[in-house]
Amino acid sequence: MTNSNDIKVSEELRDIQGGAIGFFKDHERFLFINCADAVTGKAFLTELEPTLANGLEVRRFNEAFSENRRHNGDPDALQSTWVNILISRTGLAFIGAPGLETFPDEFAAGMGARNALIGDVGTSDPSTWQAPFTGGAEPHAVIILAGDNLADLDARRTKIEEMLARHGVTIIGRQDGDARPAPFGGHEHFGFKDGVSQPAIEKFTKSGKGGTIPPGDVFIGYPDSEGNISGQPVSTPPPAPTPYNPTPVPPQPQPLPDWTRNGSFVVLRKLRQDVGGFNTSMANAAPGIGLTPDQLAAKAFGRWPSGAPMEQVSDCPVTGNPALTDPSIEAPAILDAKNINAFDFTDDPDGNNVPRGSHIRKMNPRKDVLPDGDTSDKHRLVRRGIAYGPEFTPGEPAYGQTVPDNQDRGLLFINYQASIARFFEFVQSHWANREDFQQPGDGKDPIISQDTPDGPFNVPGHGQVNFARWVTTVGGGYFFAPSLSGLRTLTK
Ligand code: HEM
C-alpha cells in the first residue's frame, strides 16, 4: 500500500477510473446490466476495460477545458465522451471476485437493506423503488457514459450496446442524466446552483473551491483523514457507542484484496424532486415566520440560488444582510472561486444567517465544534451527480401516488469514497436525519431527510416550520469502481 510521499500521481491517475476525478459533463447515460454467467461477463469486461476513461485523461481534459473557456470563452471548442463502469456486490460475486468476504458490511448488505439506517422509509422505502432497483435489488453493474455532445454520446452508447449484445450481457435498465438547460445549467431542479463546495483530492485533483481531503478518503490504499490507510486493518479498537455516534463504524478486520487499490466505493441514488410541492411549502410556511418564500428556501439550503453564501465574506463585504438578500447582487465577485466558500460559520454559531439545520451546514458544518471530538473534515463528500428529468412547468398537476414520466425529475446523486459507512451513511444518518444534530431543536435536513412527512426545521431568529418532504428515493445502490489494473485482475 502507498505512502503519501511516494505517490506518483500520474501513474496512479492512469489506473483510476476518471469518474471519481469528475466528468462534469452536461449529459450522462446510465446502462444497468446483468451478466448471463461469469465467463461471458468477464469476456465483456476484458473488451470494455481498454475503452474506459482514466483519471489522468479526465483531469487533463478538465484543465484544458477550463483554460480554453477562460481564454476563448467557447465551451464547445473542446469535447469528449467518457465511459466508466461500477460493479455491485452481486456483480462482483457473480464473476467470482476474490476476497469479497473482507468487504465492509454495508457494501455486502447493499443500499436497500440499509434503508432503516439511512432513512429510506415510508414513501422512500425500497419496496416502492423503480426498476432495476425494485425492492432494493441491485444490477450487476452500471455503465456510465458522459459527454458534451449528444450525437457523440449516442454513437458511443450504440457501440457499447453492440459489445454487450455480443457477450450476451442484458441491459435491465436505462437512465438519462442531463444538466438543466440554460440559463439553469449547473442548477438542481429546486433552482439552486449545485456543486459549489467540492473538496479537492490532495495531489489527485487541482486544488478546488472547497478545501482538500487526503486521497485515502476517496481511494483504497492511501492515508486517510483518520490517520489510517484506507482498506487496511485498523489496530485501535472501535470507539464505544455514544449518543452522537451510536453505531461506530466497525474497523476493517482484514486488508481488502490487492485488486481494490485505486478503487473507490460509489453511492448512486435516484432522488425524485417534487418541485411544485417545494414551491408550495415555501409559499405556505414563509409568511408565518416573517420571511419571503425565496428567503425561506435559501435558509433551507444555506445558500442563495446563485450559490452565494448567506454569511459575510471578508474580501467581499456587503452593506445589506447576506442572510436576507443575495449578496451577489451587490458584490458579484462573491461568486468567484476564492470567495464563494470563504466562510466557516465561526461568526454564526447560533445559525442566525445559516441555520444549523440547513442542507449545507448539515452536510459540512465546517468549523462548528462537534461532539466526541469529531470534525467536519473527516466526512467530506466527493459528489459527482447530475440532474435528470424534464423541466418543471408551473401549474402542472401535483404529484400523486404515481408520477408520470413527463413530470419525473430530480437528482442522480453519486458520490465516491473509501468507506460508505464513514462518509455517505454517516452524514445521512447522523447529521441529516437527526433533529438534534448539531443541537436539540435544530431540526432535520429539510432537503434530504426522506424519513418523515413533516420534519421540523428551525430558522433561528424567525421560528420553526414543519416541512413536507419533497425529495423521495426512487432507487439506488452501493457499487465499487475498480481501478483499471483491478479490472484486469478480476477478468483473468
Ligand atoms: C435532491 C437532493 C439534493 C439536492 C437538491 C441537493 C442540492 C444541493 C445544493 C443546492 C447544494 C449547495 C451547493 C453546493 O455546495 O453544491 C448542496 C450541497 C451539498 N450537498 Fe446536496 N443536494 C441533494 C442531495 C444530497 C445528498 C443525498 C447528499 C449526501 C448525503 C448531499 C450532500 C451535499 C454536500 C456534501 C454538499 C456540500 C456542503 C458544503 O460543503 O457546503 N446532497 N446540495
Side-chain angles (χ1 to χ4, degrees), residues 14-69:
R14 232 180 237 121
D15 190 36
I16 282 167
Q17 290 200 64
I21 302 304
F23 291 144
F24 306 124
K25 297 296 190 195
D26 279 354
H27 308 286
E28 295 198 21
R29 299 292 174 261
F30 298 79
L31 299 175
F32 302 107
I33 57 170
N34 274 354
C35 310
D37 58 65
V39 174
T40 52
K42 284 183 177 185
F44 165 70
L45 289 174
T46 304
E47 190 178 341
L48 181 75
E49 185 271 319
T51 72
L52 298 176
N54 69 49
L56 188 64
E57 57 191 333
V58 170
R59 176 179 162 158
R60 285 184 174 156
F61 176 91
N62 291 350
E63 288 172 4
F65 185 90
S66 306
E67 189 78 354
N68 182 62
R69 196 165 48 183

Short mmCIF file of all heavy atoms in Angstrom, two decimals, residues 14-69:
data_model
loop_
_atom_site.label_atom_id
_atom_site.label_comp_id
_atom_site.label_asym_id
_atom_site.label_seq_id
_atom_site.Cartn_x
_atom_site.Cartn_y
_atom_site.Cartn_z
N ARG A 14 -3.58 7.27 -13.98
CA ARG A 14 -3.77 6.45 -15.19
C ARG A 14 -4.50 5.15 -14.87
O ARG A 14 -5.09 4.52 -15.72
CB ARG A 14 -2.40 6.14 -15.80
CG ARG A 14 -2.35 6.48 -17.23
CD ARG A 14 -1.01 6.18 -17.87
NE ARG A 14 -0.49 7.38 -18.45
CZ ARG A 14 0.66 7.95 -18.16
NH1 ARG A 14 1.46 7.41 -17.28
NH2 ARG A 14 1.03 9.04 -18.75
N ASP A 15 -4.41 4.74 -13.61
CA ASP A 15 -5.02 3.47 -13.18
C ASP A 15 -6.45 3.66 -12.65
O ASP A 15 -7.26 2.75 -12.68
CB ASP A 15 -4.13 2.88 -12.07
CG ASP A 15 -4.51 1.46 -11.70
OD1 ASP A 15 -4.90 0.72 -12.62
OD2 ASP A 15 -4.42 1.11 -10.52
N ILE A 16 -6.72 4.87 -12.18
CA ILE A 16 -8.02 5.15 -11.54
C ILE A 16 -9.08 5.44 -12.61
O ILE A 16 -8.77 6.07 -13.62
CB ILE A 16 -7.84 6.38 -10.60
CG1 ILE A 16 -7.15 5.93 -9.31
CG2 ILE A 16 -9.14 7.09 -10.33
CD1 ILE A 16 -6.63 7.06 -8.46
N GLN A 17 -10.29 4.98 -12.42
CA GLN A 17 -11.36 5.36 -13.36
C GLN A 17 -11.67 6.86 -13.17
O GLN A 17 -11.78 7.35 -12.04
CB GLN A 17 -12.61 4.54 -13.13
CG GLN A 17 -12.48 3.08 -13.53
CD GLN A 17 -13.84 2.44 -13.74
OE1 GLN A 17 -14.59 2.82 -14.64
NE2 GLN A 17 -14.17 1.46 -12.92
N GLY A 18 -11.85 7.55 -14.29
CA GLY A 18 -11.93 9.01 -14.27
C GLY A 18 -13.16 9.61 -13.60
O GLY A 18 -13.15 10.79 -13.24
N GLY A 19 -14.21 8.80 -13.41
CA GLY A 19 -15.44 9.35 -12.82
C GLY A 19 -15.21 9.94 -11.44
O GLY A 19 -15.87 10.92 -11.06
N ALA A 20 -14.27 9.37 -10.69
CA ALA A 20 -14.00 9.89 -9.35
C ALA A 20 -13.37 11.27 -9.43
O ALA A 20 -13.57 12.11 -8.55
CB ALA A 20 -13.08 8.93 -8.59
N ILE A 21 -12.60 11.50 -10.47
CA ILE A 21 -11.96 12.81 -10.65
C ILE A 21 -13.02 13.84 -11.05
O ILE A 21 -12.96 15.00 -10.67
CB ILE A 21 -10.84 12.72 -11.73
CG1 ILE A 21 -9.80 11.67 -11.31
CG2 ILE A 21 -10.21 14.06 -12.04
CD1 ILE A 21 -9.17 11.91 -9.95
N GLY A 22 -14.03 13.38 -11.78
CA GLY A 22 -15.16 14.25 -12.12
C GLY A 22 -15.29 14.46 -13.61
O GLY A 22 -14.46 15.12 -14.22
N PHE A 23 -16.35 13.88 -14.20
CA PHE A 23 -16.58 14.09 -15.63
C PHE A 23 -17.11 15.51 -15.90
O PHE A 23 -16.77 16.12 -16.90
CB PHE A 23 -17.60 13.07 -16.17
CG PHE A 23 -17.10 11.66 -16.20
CD1 PHE A 23 -17.97 10.60 -15.93
CD2 PHE A 23 -15.79 11.38 -16.52
CE1 PHE A 23 -17.52 9.29 -15.98
CE2 PHE A 23 -15.34 10.06 -16.57
CZ PHE A 23 -16.21 9.02 -16.29
N PHE A 24 -18.00 15.97 -15.02
CA PHE A 24 -18.59 17.31 -15.15
C PHE A 24 -19.13 17.57 -16.56
O PHE A 24 -18.86 18.60 -17.17
CB PHE A 24 -17.59 18.39 -14.74
CG PHE A 24 -17.00 18.17 -13.37
CD1 PHE A 24 -15.64 18.09 -13.17
CD2 PHE A 24 -17.85 18.01 -12.26
CE1 PHE A 24 -15.11 17.87 -11.90
CE2 PHE A 24 -17.33 17.79 -10.99
CZ PHE A 24 -15.95 17.72 -10.82
N LYS A 25 -19.87 16.59 -17.08
CA LYS A 25 -20.45 16.73 -18.42
C LYS A 25 -21.92 17.13 -18.30
O LYS A 25 -22.57 16.88 -17.29
CB LYS A 25 -20.36 15.41 -19.18
CG LYS A 25 -18.94 14.93 -19.42
CD LYS A 25 -18.19 15.88 -20.31
CE LYS A 25 -16.87 15.30 -20.76
NZ LYS A 25 -15.99 16.36 -21.31
N ASP A 26 -22.44 17.70 -19.40
CA ASP A 26 -23.85 18.09 -19.41
C ASP A 26 -24.78 16.90 -19.61
O ASP A 26 -25.97 17.00 -19.36
CB ASP A 26 -24.12 19.10 -20.54
CG ASP A 26 -23.70 20.50 -20.11
OD1 ASP A 26 -23.33 20.68 -18.93
OD2 ASP A 26 -23.73 21.41 -20.96
N HIS A 27 -24.24 15.80 -20.15
CA HIS A 27 -25.10 14.66 -20.45
C HIS A 27 -24.46 13.36 -19.96
O HIS A 27 -23.26 13.15 -20.20
CB HIS A 27 -25.36 14.56 -21.95
CG HIS A 27 -25.87 15.84 -22.55
ND1 HIS A 27 -27.16 16.28 -22.35
CD2 HIS A 27 -25.23 16.80 -23.27
CE1 HIS A 27 -27.32 17.45 -22.96
NE2 HIS A 27 -26.17 17.80 -23.52
N GLU A 28 -25.27 12.53 -19.31
CA GLU A 28 -24.76 11.20 -18.91
C GLU A 28 -25.84 10.17 -19.24
O GLU A 28 -27.03 10.44 -19.16
CB GLU A 28 -24.43 11.17 -17.41
CG GLU A 28 -23.29 12.10 -17.05
CD GLU A 28 -22.64 11.80 -15.71
OE1 GLU A 28 -22.77 10.67 -15.21
OE2 GLU A 28 -21.99 12.71 -15.17
N ARG A 29 -25.38 9.00 -19.63
CA ARG A 29 -26.29 7.90 -19.92
C ARG A 29 -25.86 6.72 -19.06
O ARG A 29 -24.67 6.39 -19.03
CB ARG A 29 -26.23 7.52 -21.41
CG ARG A 29 -26.64 8.67 -22.34
CD ARG A 29 -28.13 8.99 -22.21
NE ARG A 29 -28.54 10.17 -22.97
CZ ARG A 29 -28.72 11.39 -22.45
NH1 ARG A 29 -28.51 11.61 -21.17
NH2 ARG A 29 -29.14 12.39 -23.19
N PHE A 30 -26.81 6.12 -18.36
CA PHE A 30 -26.50 5.02 -17.45
C PHE A 30 -27.14 3.76 -18.01
O PHE A 30 -28.34 3.76 -18.33
CB PHE A 30 -27.07 5.29 -16.05
CG PHE A 30 -26.49 6.53 -15.41
CD1 PHE A 30 -26.95 7.80 -15.75
CD2 PHE A 30 -25.48 6.43 -14.45
CE1 PHE A 30 -26.41 8.93 -15.15
CE2 PHE A 30 -24.93 7.56 -13.86
CZ PHE A 30 -25.40 8.82 -14.20
N LEU A 31 -26.36 2.70 -18.15
CA LEU A 31 -26.90 1.41 -18.56
C LEU A 31 -26.71 0.46 -17.38
O LEU A 31 -25.58 0.25 -16.92
CB LEU A 31 -26.13 0.87 -19.77
CG LEU A 31 -26.17 1.72 -21.05
CD1 LEU A 31 -25.26 1.10 -22.12
CD2 LEU A 31 -27.61 1.82 -21.57
N PHE A 32 -27.81 -0.07 -16.87
CA PHE A 32 -27.74 -1.03 -15.77
C PHE A 32 -27.76 -2.42 -16.39
O PHE A 32 -28.65 -2.73 -17.20
CB PHE A 32 -28.94 -0.83 -14.83
CG PHE A 32 -29.00 0.57 -14.27
CD1 PHE A 32 -29.95 1.48 -14.72
CD2 PHE A 32 -28.08 1.00 -13.33
CE1 PHE A 32 -29.99 2.78 -14.22
CE2 PHE A 32 -28.11 2.30 -12.82
CZ PHE A 32 -29.07 3.18 -13.27
N ILE A 33 -26.78 -3.24 -16.03
CA ILE A 33 -26.63 -4.51 -16.76
C ILE A 33 -26.52 -5.72 -15.83
O ILE A 33 -26.08 -5.60 -14.68
CB ILE A 33 -25.37 -4.47 -17.68
CG1 ILE A 33 -24.10 -4.16 -16.86
CG2 ILE A 33 -25.54 -3.46 -18.79
CD1 ILE A 33 -22.82 -4.35 -17.64
N ASN A 34 -26.93 -6.87 -16.35
CA ASN A 34 -26.72 -8.16 -15.69
C ASN A 34 -26.04 -9.11 -16.66
O ASN A 34 -26.40 -9.16 -17.85
CB ASN A 34 -28.06 -8.78 -15.26
CG ASN A 34 -28.50 -8.28 -13.88
OD1 ASN A 34 -27.75 -7.56 -13.20
ND2 ASN A 34 -29.70 -8.65 -13.49
N CYS A 35 -25.06 -9.85 -16.15
CA CYS A 35 -24.37 -10.83 -17.00
C CYS A 35 -25.11 -12.16 -16.96
O CYS A 35 -25.80 -12.46 -15.97
CB CYS A 35 -22.96 -11.10 -16.49
SG CYS A 35 -22.04 -9.63 -16.19
N ALA A 36 -24.93 -12.94 -18.01
CA ALA A 36 -25.59 -14.25 -18.05
C ALA A 36 -24.80 -15.25 -17.20
O ALA A 36 -25.36 -16.11 -16.52
CB ALA A 36 -25.69 -14.74 -19.49
N ASP A 37 -23.49 -15.18 -17.27
CA ASP A 37 -22.64 -16.06 -16.47
C ASP A 37 -21.27 -15.41 -16.31
O ASP A 37 -20.96 -14.42 -16.99
CB ASP A 37 -22.54 -17.46 -17.08
CG ASP A 37 -21.98 -17.41 -18.48
OD1 ASP A 37 -20.82 -17.02 -18.63
OD2 ASP A 37 -22.74 -17.71 -19.44
N ALA A 38 -20.46 -15.99 -15.44
CA ALA A 38 -19.18 -15.36 -15.12
C ALA A 38 -18.26 -15.29 -16.34
O ALA A 38 -17.57 -14.29 -16.55
CB ALA A 38 -18.51 -16.14 -14.00
N VAL A 39 -18.28 -16.33 -17.17
CA VAL A 39 -17.34 -16.37 -18.29
C VAL A 39 -17.64 -15.25 -19.29
O VAL A 39 -16.75 -14.48 -19.68
CB VAL A 39 -17.39 -17.76 -18.98
CG1 VAL A 39 -16.54 -17.77 -20.24
CG2 VAL A 39 -16.95 -18.83 -18.00
N THR A 40 -18.91 -15.11 -19.67
CA THR A 40 -19.23 -14.07 -20.66
C THR A 40 -19.12 -12.68 -20.02
O THR A 40 -18.74 -11.71 -20.69
CB THR A 40 -20.65 -14.27 -21.25
OG1 THR A 40 -21.56 -14.40 -20.16
CG2 THR A 40 -20.72 -15.47 -22.13
N GLY A 41 -19.44 -12.59 -18.71
CA GLY A 41 -19.29 -11.30 -18.00
C GLY A 41 -17.84 -10.85 -18.04
O GLY A 41 -17.54 -9.70 -18.33
N LYS A 42 -16.94 -11.78 -17.78
CA LYS A 42 -15.51 -11.43 -17.77
C LYS A 42 -15.04 -11.08 -19.18
O LYS A 42 -14.21 -10.20 -19.36
CB LYS A 42 -14.68 -12.59 -17.22
CG LYS A 42 -14.77 -12.74 -15.71
CD LYS A 42 -13.87 -13.87 -15.29
CE LYS A 42 -13.83 -14.04 -13.80
NZ LYS A 42 -12.88 -15.03 -13.36
N ALA A 43 -15.56 -11.81 -20.16
CA ALA A 43 -15.16 -11.52 -21.55
C ALA A 43 -15.59 -10.10 -21.92
O ALA A 43 -14.85 -9.34 -22.57
CB ALA A 43 -15.79 -12.54 -22.50
N PHE A 44 -16.78 -9.72 -21.48
CA PHE A 44 -17.25 -8.35 -21.75
C PHE A 44 -16.33 -7.33 -21.07
O PHE A 44 -15.89 -6.36 -21.70
CB PHE A 44 -18.69 -8.18 -21.26
CG PHE A 44 -19.11 -6.75 -21.18
CD1 PHE A 44 -19.29 -6.00 -22.34
CD2 PHE A 44 -19.28 -6.12 -19.95
CE1 PHE A 44 -19.63 -4.65 -22.27
CE2 PHE A 44 -19.61 -4.79 -19.88
CZ PHE A 44 -19.79 -4.04 -21.04
N LEU A 45 -16.02 -7.57 -19.80
CA LEU A 45 -15.17 -6.61 -19.06
C LEU A 45 -13.79 -6.50 -19.69
O LEU A 45 -13.19 -5.43 -19.74
CB LEU A 45 -15.05 -7.04 -17.59
CG LEU A 45 -16.31 -6.86 -16.74
CD1 LEU A 45 -16.11 -7.46 -15.35
CD2 LEU A 45 -16.69 -5.39 -16.63
N THR A 46 -13.29 -7.63 -20.20
CA THR A 46 -11.97 -7.62 -20.84
C THR A 46 -11.98 -6.71 -22.08
O THR A 46 -11.03 -5.96 -22.32
CB THR A 46 -11.57 -9.06 -21.25
OG1 THR A 46 -11.65 -9.87 -20.08
CG2 THR A 46 -10.18 -9.13 -21.84
N GLU A 47 -13.07 -6.80 -22.85
CA GLU A 47 -13.14 -5.95 -24.05
C GLU A 47 -13.41 -4.48 -23.67
O GLU A 47 -12.93 -3.56 -24.32
CB GLU A 47 -14.24 -6.47 -24.99
CG GLU A 47 -14.17 -5.78 -26.34
CD GLU A 47 -15.20 -6.30 -27.35
OE1 GLU A 47 -15.74 -7.42 -27.16
OE2 GLU A 47 -15.48 -5.55 -28.32
N LEU A 48 -14.16 -4.27 -22.60
CA LEU A 48 -14.53 -2.90 -22.22
C LEU A 48 -13.35 -2.14 -21.60
O LEU A 48 -13.18 -0.93 -21.85
CB LEU A 48 -15.68 -2.96 -21.19
CG LEU A 48 -16.20 -1.60 -20.70
CD1 LEU A 48 -17.06 -0.95 -21.78
CD2 LEU A 48 -17.02 -1.76 -19.41
N GLU A 49 -12.54 -2.85 -20.83
CA GLU A 49 -11.52 -2.17 -19.98
C GLU A 49 -10.63 -1.17 -20.73
O GLU A 49 -10.48 -0.03 -20.28
CB GLU A 49 -10.70 -3.25 -19.25
CG GLU A 49 -9.70 -2.71 -18.26
CD GLU A 49 -8.35 -2.42 -18.86
OE1 GLU A 49 -7.86 -3.21 -19.69
OE2 GLU A 49 -7.79 -1.36 -18.51
N PRO A 50 -10.07 -1.52 -21.91
CA PRO A 50 -9.19 -0.54 -22.57
C PRO A 50 -9.93 0.72 -23.04
O PRO A 50 -9.29 1.72 -23.37
CB PRO A 50 -8.65 -1.31 -23.78
CG PRO A 50 -9.00 -2.74 -23.55
CD PRO A 50 -10.17 -2.78 -22.65
N THR A 51 -11.26 0.67 -23.09
CA THR A 51 -12.01 1.83 -23.58
C THR A 51 -12.43 2.77 -22.44
O THR A 51 -13.03 3.81 -22.68
CB THR A 51 -13.30 1.39 -24.32
OG1 THR A 51 -14.25 0.90 -23.35
CG2 THR A 51 -13.04 0.31 -25.35
N LEU A 52 -12.14 2.38 -21.20
CA LEU A 52 -12.61 3.18 -20.06
C LEU A 52 -11.74 4.42 -19.86
O LEU A 52 -10.52 4.36 -20.05
CB LEU A 52 -12.62 2.33 -18.78
CG LEU A 52 -13.55 1.12 -18.81
CD1 LEU A 52 -13.40 0.29 -17.54
CD2 LEU A 52 -15.01 1.56 -18.99
N ALA A 53 -12.38 5.50 -19.45
CA ALA A 53 -11.65 6.76 -19.24
C ALA A 53 -10.89 6.68 -17.92
O ALA A 53 -11.47 6.32 -16.89
CB ALA A 53 -12.64 7.92 -19.18
N ASN A 54 -9.59 7.02 -17.96
CA ASN A 54 -8.84 7.02 -16.72
C ASN A 54 -8.76 8.43 -16.13
O ASN A 54 -9.10 9.42 -16.79
CB ASN A 54 -7.45 6.38 -16.90
CG ASN A 54 -6.52 7.23 -17.75
OD1 ASN A 54 -6.37 8.43 -17.53
ND2 ASN A 54 -5.88 6.60 -18.74
N GLY A 55 -8.31 8.50 -14.89
CA GLY A 55 -8.30 9.77 -14.17
C GLY A 55 -7.37 10.80 -14.77
O GLY A 55 -7.66 12.00 -14.73
N LEU A 56 -6.28 10.35 -15.39
CA LEU A 56 -5.32 11.31 -15.94
C LEU A 56 -5.91 12.03 -17.14
O LEU A 56 -5.84 13.25 -17.25
CB LEU A 56 -4.01 10.60 -16.32
CG LEU A 56 -2.89 11.54 -16.72
CD1 LEU A 56 -2.47 12.43 -15.55
CD2 LEU A 56 -1.67 10.75 -17.23
N GLU A 57 -6.52 11.26 -18.05
CA GLU A 57 -7.07 11.92 -19.24
C GLU A 57 -8.24 12.83 -18.87
O GLU A 57 -8.40 13.92 -19.42
CB GLU A 57 -7.44 10.94 -20.36
CG GLU A 57 -8.42 9.85 -19.97
CD GLU A 57 -8.53 8.76 -21.02
OE1 GLU A 57 -8.29 9.02 -22.21
OE2 GLU A 57 -8.89 7.61 -20.64
N VAL A 58 -9.02 12.41 -17.88
CA VAL A 58 -10.15 13.24 -17.46
C VAL A 58 -9.64 14.52 -16.81
O VAL A 58 -10.09 15.63 -17.11
CB VAL A 58 -11.08 12.46 -16.51
CG1 VAL A 58 -12.12 13.36 -15.88
CG2 VAL A 58 -11.76 11.32 -17.26
N ARG A 59 -8.62 14.38 -15.95
CA ARG A 59 -8.09 15.58 -15.30
C ARG A 59 -7.49 16.54 -16.33
O ARG A 59 -7.73 17.74 -16.30
CB ARG A 59 -7.03 15.17 -14.27
CG ARG A 59 -6.38 16.36 -13.63
CD ARG A 59 -5.35 15.98 -12.60
NE ARG A 59 -4.49 17.13 -12.36
CZ ARG A 59 -3.77 17.31 -11.27
NH1 ARG A 59 -3.81 16.42 -10.31
NH2 ARG A 59 -3.02 18.38 -11.13
N ARG A 60 -6.68 15.97 -17.26
CA ARG A 60 -6.06 16.84 -18.28
C ARG A 60 -7.11 17.53 -19.14
O ARG A 60 -6.99 18.70 -19.48
CB ARG A 60 -5.11 16.02 -19.17
CG ARG A 60 -3.83 15.69 -18.44
CD ARG A 60 -2.87 14.97 -19.34
NE ARG A 60 -1.60 14.78 -18.66
CZ ARG A 60 -0.73 13.83 -18.96
NH1 ARG A 60 -0.99 12.97 -19.92
NH2 ARG A 60 0.40 13.74 -18.31
N PHE A 61 -8.14 16.77 -19.51
CA PHE A 61 -9.20 17.38 -20.32
C PHE A 61 -9.87 18.52 -19.54
O PHE A 61 -10.08 19.60 -20.08
CB PHE A 61 -10.26 16.33 -20.71
CG PHE A 61 -11.41 16.94 -21.46
CD1 PHE A 61 -11.38 17.01 -22.85
CD2 PHE A 61 -12.49 17.49 -20.79
CE1 PHE A 61 -12.42 17.61 -23.55
CE2 PHE A 61 -13.53 18.11 -21.48
CZ PHE A 61 -13.49 18.15 -22.86
N ASN A 62 -10.20 18.26 -18.27
CA ASN A 62 -10.90 19.29 -17.48
C ASN A 62 -10.05 20.55 -17.37
O ASN A 62 -10.58 21.67 -17.43
CB ASN A 62 -11.24 18.76 -16.08
CG ASN A 62 -12.31 17.67 -16.12
OD1 ASN A 62 -12.93 17.44 -17.16
ND2 ASN A 62 -12.52 16.98 -15.02
N GLU A 63 -8.73 20.37 -17.22
CA GLU A 63 -7.86 21.54 -17.10
C GLU A 63 -7.82 22.32 -18.41
O GLU A 63 -7.92 23.54 -18.43
CB GLU A 63 -6.44 21.12 -16.67
CG GLU A 63 -6.42 20.68 -15.21
CD GLU A 63 -5.11 20.06 -14.76
OE1 GLU A 63 -4.15 20.03 -15.56
OE2 GLU A 63 -5.07 19.60 -13.61
N ALA A 64 -7.72 21.56 -19.52
CA ALA A 64 -7.67 22.22 -20.84
C ALA A 64 -9.01 22.93 -21.12
O ALA A 64 -9.04 24.04 -21.66
CB ALA A 64 -7.39 21.19 -21.93
N PHE A 65 -10.09 22.30 -20.70
CA PHE A 65 -11.43 22.87 -20.93
C PHE A 65 -11.55 24.21 -20.19
O PHE A 65 -11.99 25.21 -20.75
CB PHE A 65 -12.49 21.87 -20.43
CG PHE A 65 -13.90 22.29 -20.71
CD1 PHE A 65 -14.52 21.92 -21.89
CD2 PHE A 65 -14.62 23.04 -19.79
CE1 PHE A 65 -15.83 22.30 -22.16
CE2 PHE A 65 -15.92 23.42 -20.04
CZ PHE A 65 -16.53 23.05 -21.23
N SER A 66 -11.13 24.21 -18.90
CA SER A 66 -11.24 25.44 -18.10
C SER A 66 -10.36 26.53 -18.70
O SER A 66 -10.76 27.68 -18.80
CB SER A 66 -10.78 25.21 -16.66
OG SER A 66 -11.47 24.15 -16.11
N GLU A 67 -9.14 26.13 -19.11
CA GLU A 67 -8.20 27.09 -19.70
C GLU A 67 -8.81 27.70 -20.96
O GLU A 67 -8.80 28.90 -21.16
CB GLU A 67 -6.92 26.30 -20.07
CG GLU A 67 -5.75 27.13 -20.48
CD GLU A 67 -5.08 27.76 -19.26
OE1 GLU A 67 -5.58 27.63 -18.14
OE2 GLU A 67 -4.07 28.39 -19.46
N ASN A 68 -9.37 26.82 -21.79
CA ASN A 68 -9.95 27.28 -23.05
C ASN A 68 -11.12 28.23 -22.81
O ASN A 68 -11.26 29.25 -23.47
CB ASN A 68 -10.42 26.05 -23.84
CG ASN A 68 -10.98 26.46 -25.19
OD1 ASN A 68 -10.26 27.01 -26.01
ND2 ASN A 68 -12.26 26.23 -25.40
N ARG A 69 -11.93 27.89 -21.80
CA ARG A 69 -13.08 28.74 -21.53
C ARG A 69 -12.63 30.11 -21.03
O ARG A 69 -13.20 31.13 -21.38
CB ARG A 69 -14.03 28.08 -20.52
CG ARG A 69 -15.39 28.76 -20.52
CD ARG A 69 -16.45 27.99 -19.84
NE ARG A 69 -16.00 27.52 -18.53
CZ ARG A 69 -16.73 26.77 -17.74
NH1 ARG A 69 -17.91 26.38 -18.13
NH2 ARG A 69 -16.28 26.38 -16.58
#
